[in-house]
Each structure stands twice: as C-alpha cells, then as structure tokens.
Amino acid sequence: SGVDKADVKVNLGSIMKIIEEGGTFSGEDLKGLTLDEVIGAVFGHEIEHTTNENVNEKDPEKPAHEISAEIIKETKDQKDENEKK
C-alpha cells in the first residue's frame, strides 16, 4: 500500500523545548543549530514517514531518524565550511 496524501505536522513547542534543554534529535546534538535548521531536520524526519517505502517498514522510525540525523550532520558540516571562509 502506498501514500496518496499526507498532512505533515510538527509541534513547535516540543522543538523549542528540546533546543532550550540542549537536547538531541535522532541521536544528534542540536547545539549550534538555529530553530529553522532544527525544524528542517524534523520536517525531513516526518516527510520520510510519507514515503511508500516507509509506510511498509517494520520499524518506520529507523529510516526517518536516519534522514533527520543526516540533515543535522550536513547542516553542521555546511556551517563549519562557511565559518572557514
């Protein structure tokens, strides 16, 4: 079975609380990321849940966490590269 339509919702209050408490998302430290960057990682995670592959996963959180962790890592790498310029 596939996905015909999906609504993606994120809880901004929960995201802000994780940031304020210096927490992690998908096993990645959020230190140094802006609110917008964290929201991007969360949306990437949630969008993964809407893919046909994810709908048929036994553990749909695993690939979603892999996506958001990769977004966080790439965002940090990009910021590091920009700081070197």
Side-chain angles (χ1 to χ4, degrees):
S1 71
V3 178
D4 292 328
K5 180 182 175 193
D7 292 323
V8 175
K9 297 179 182 179
V10 296
N11 184 321
L12 189 57
S14 295
I15 294 170
M16 292 174 69
K17 183 176 180 184
I18 292 170
I19 293 171
E20 289 168 5
E21 293 176 353
T24 63
F25 186 71
S26 296
E28 295 295 322
D29 183 9
L30 301 177
K31 185 177 180 184
L33 298 183
T34 66
L35 176 61
D36 288 344
E37 290 165 340
V38 176
I39 290 170
V42 172
F43 264 109
H45 176 102
E46 295 305 326
I47 289 168
E48 175 62 21
H49 287 304
T50 69
T51 65
N52 288 334
E53 297 82 10
N54 190 266
V55 168
N56 297 311
E57 278 283 330
K58 272 186 165 178
D59 179 10
E61 287 301 318
K62 185 175 186 283
H65 280 302
E66 289 171 354
I67 292 289
S68 48
E70 186 63 29
I71 291 170
I72 292 167
K73 289 176 191 171
E74 288 182 14
T75 301
K76 287 182 174 182
D77 289 347
Q78 187 64 49
K79 288 178 88 139
D80 289 345
E81 285 297 316
N82 289 342
E83 287 177 7
K84 292 178 183 176
K85 293 179 181 179

